[in-house]
Every structure is written in C-alpha cells, then in structure tokens.
C-alpha cells in the first residue's frame, strides 16, 4: 500500500511513518499541501495521512476539486478533541491520535486501504489455481479473475502481482464501486491541465500509476 504523509516530520509524525513502513506500507512524505497535491498528480497514493496542524479542510477541498477520491486520515495530538472533530467534519475518514500506537496505525491503514493478509488455502481446487498462477504470472498476459464476492479475487490478484516481473512495482487496487461516477474517468485515466474547472495541473490515472510511475521511496 502506498501511503502519502503530509506535514512536518518532526517527532510523532516520523514515528507514525516508521510504524506504517513496519506495517508494509510504502511511505512518501510531503511537507505541505502543495507538494502533496503535486505528488498525487504525478504518482498517486492509496491513502493520505495528514497532520491536523495543516488545514485539512482546504486540502480535502483541493483534492476533490482535482477529482481525487483517495481517503484522508487525520492525525494530531491525541488530547485535541476539537481538532479531531473538525478533521472528520472536513471529510477525513479516520482520526489517529498522536503519539501513535503501532497496532492502531496498522489497523487503520488496513481498514482504509483494504489491504489483504497473506494468501492461505487448503483445498486442492485452489492448489490448481495457484499452479496456474505460477505458470502465467511471469508473462505479460492480461488475467481476468472471476468468482463470487469475498472469495478472494483480490487476494489472488495480489498473489499474481507478487509472482510477476512487476513484483517490486506498486500494486494499484481500484474499487470502482467506491468511486463516485463523476470522478471515475479522472481516477482511471487522469486528465490534462484545464480539462475542467479545478483541473489545475496534469494528473496521471490509476493505469499510469500501475504502469511504471515512479514508486514511493521506502518499504
Ligand atoms: N485465500 C485467502 N487467504 C487469505 N485471506 C483470504 C483468502 N480468500 C479471501 N480472503 C480474505 O477474505 C476477504 C475477501 O477477499 P477479497 O477481497 O480478495 O474478495 P473478492 O473476491 O475480491 O471480493 P469482492 O468481489 O467483494 O471484491 C479479505 O479480507 C481477504 O483477506
Ligand atoms: Mg474484490
């Protein structure tokens, strides 16, 4: 999962960043909104964590104006209840109190990004699927994975990625059902500067993010 942290990395936010890396997130840092927006336009991220000391309301407004639907997690000194309430009202998905707890950071990132745990199976039928994946994953073939809801299609997709030549590149999951209709085109294909009111700059889409856009720094 690719996490963008926005704010000054002094003290507790740096600790949160290290914990996220420990929870297998690829973390990149932006000191302010402008750098964060630029990061989103050129590389994208799965989740954004913002220090409440930065004005979260205007940041989320700017994000949505450029048609980013990426979830924002607010974080700030735990005792500041007012800041937490304002951040949630401004559109943040969760509030993480600082100093951070490793388990909480991991749980929040997992809940927001819907990252899956390790792939496990016992049934021989699934064993055959895995054999097939091991055969085809190193190729450039497109793979359509079908199955009922909750049967592990995304788990298999991640397994395919882990066995592919792109294993060290970003895995970009897109939950189309969670993206509002008017944002879908920009999210998937990006847009050019001036394409609509609010398109302040060129932005790449999920396909480009998944196809070799420079990845975040650390694991
Ligand atoms: N083989 C597996 N090993 C480990 N976890 C699994 C496995 N199969 C499913 N899960 C777990 O079950 C949940 C649903 O899996 P997943 O999101 O991959 O399903 P899906 O087929 O993509 O569902 P949907 O159609 O609703 O998107 C996840 O929490 C995932 O971690
Ligand atoms: Mg799925």
């Amino acid at each position: 999962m690719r996490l963008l942290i926005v704010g000054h990395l002094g003290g507790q936010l740096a600790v949160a960043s290290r914990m996220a890396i420990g929870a297998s997130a690829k973390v990149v840092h932006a000191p302010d909104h402008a750098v964060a927006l630029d990061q989103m336009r050129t590389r994208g991220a799965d989740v954004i964590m913002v220090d409440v000391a930065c004005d979260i309301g205007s940041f989320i407004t700017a994000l949505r104006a450029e048609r980013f639907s990426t979830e924002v997690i607010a974080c700030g000194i735990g005792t500041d209840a007012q800041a937490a309430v304002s951040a949630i009202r401004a559109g943040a998905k969760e509030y993480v109190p600082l100093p951070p707890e490793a388990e909480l950071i991991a749980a929040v990132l997992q809940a927001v990004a819907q990252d899956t745990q390790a792939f496990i199976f016992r049934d021989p039928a699934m064993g055959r699927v895995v054999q097939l994946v091991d055969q085809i994953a190193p190729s450039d073939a497109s793979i359509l994975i079908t199955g009922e809801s909750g049967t592990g299609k995304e788990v298999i997709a991640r397994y395919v990625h882990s066995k592919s030549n792109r294993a060290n590149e970003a895995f970009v999951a897109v939950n189309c059902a969670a993206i509002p209709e008017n944002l879908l085109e920009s999210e998937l294909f990006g847009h050019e500067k001036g394409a609509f009111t609010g398109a302040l700059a060129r932005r790449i889409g999920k396909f480009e993010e998944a196809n070799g856009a420079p990845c975040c720094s650390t694991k």
Side-chain angles (χ1 to χ4, degrees):
M1 175 219 320
R2 302 162 305 150
L3 170 68
L4 170 60
I5 295 187
V6 188
H8 291 290
L9 265 194
Q12 301 301 345
L13 207 52
V15 179
S17 167
R18 282 198 293 277
M19 286 175 177
I21 291 169
S24 295
K26 289 181 173 167
V27 178
V28 71
H29 171 241
D32 57 37
H33 293 179
V35 178
L37 274 173
D38 206 45
Q39 175 72 27
M40 290 302 294
R41 291 170 190 142
T42 53
R43 296 177 178 192
D46 300 317
V47 185
I48 308 173
M49 188 182 271
V50 185
D51 186 344
V52 285
C54 306
D55 176 3
I56 288 206
S58 68
F59 179 60
I60 293 180
T61 304
L63 272 179
R64 303 300 178 237
E66 293 198 37
R67 300 189 179 172
F68 291 103
S69 65
T70 315
E71 299 287 11
V72 173
I73 300 170
C75 56
I77 300 302
T79 48
D80 192 349
Q82 192 50 47
V85 171
S86 320
I88 298 292
R89 283 211 180 114
K93 176 90 172 172
E94 302 278 353
Y95 179 83
V96 173
L98 300 176
E101 283 175 33
E103 278 178 16
L104 180 61
I105 296 273
V108 167
L109 293 180
Q110 191 173 356
V112 174
Q114 296 177 328
D115 254 17
T116 44
Q117 289 144 9
F119 172 42
I120 48 174
F121 67 93
R122 194 164 64 179
D123 195 290
M126 193 56 122
R128 289 193 290 279
V129 173
V130 171
Q131 256 182 354
L132 186 62
V133 167
D134 289 339
Q135 269 178 356
I136 56 179
S139 80
D140 266 341
S142 302
I143 301 174
L144 175 66
I145 303 166
T146 60
E148 290 185 26
S149 181
T151 51
K153 295 186 294 296
E154 184 167 336
V155 176
I156 281 283
R158 287 180 191 274
Y159 181 71
V160 170
H161 178 255
S162 75
K163 295 284 170 179
S164 77
N165 298 328
R166 298 175 169 212
N168 292 325
E169 308 292 332
F171 177 92
V172 179
V174 184
N175 181 359
C176 293
I179 301 176
E181 194 181 336
N182 58 333
L183 305 188
L184 189 64
E185 197 174 326
S186 277
E187 285 283 15
L188 295 183
F189 304 109
H191 55 242
E192 296 299 327
K193 180 178 178 179
F196 53 85
T197 311
L200 300 180
R202 183 176 193 275
R203 161 200 175 173
I204 65 165
K206 297 289 182 197
F207 287 109
E208 276 175 282
E209 285 178 30
N211 191 28
C215 194
C216 312
S217 54
T218 34
K219 189 213 142 187

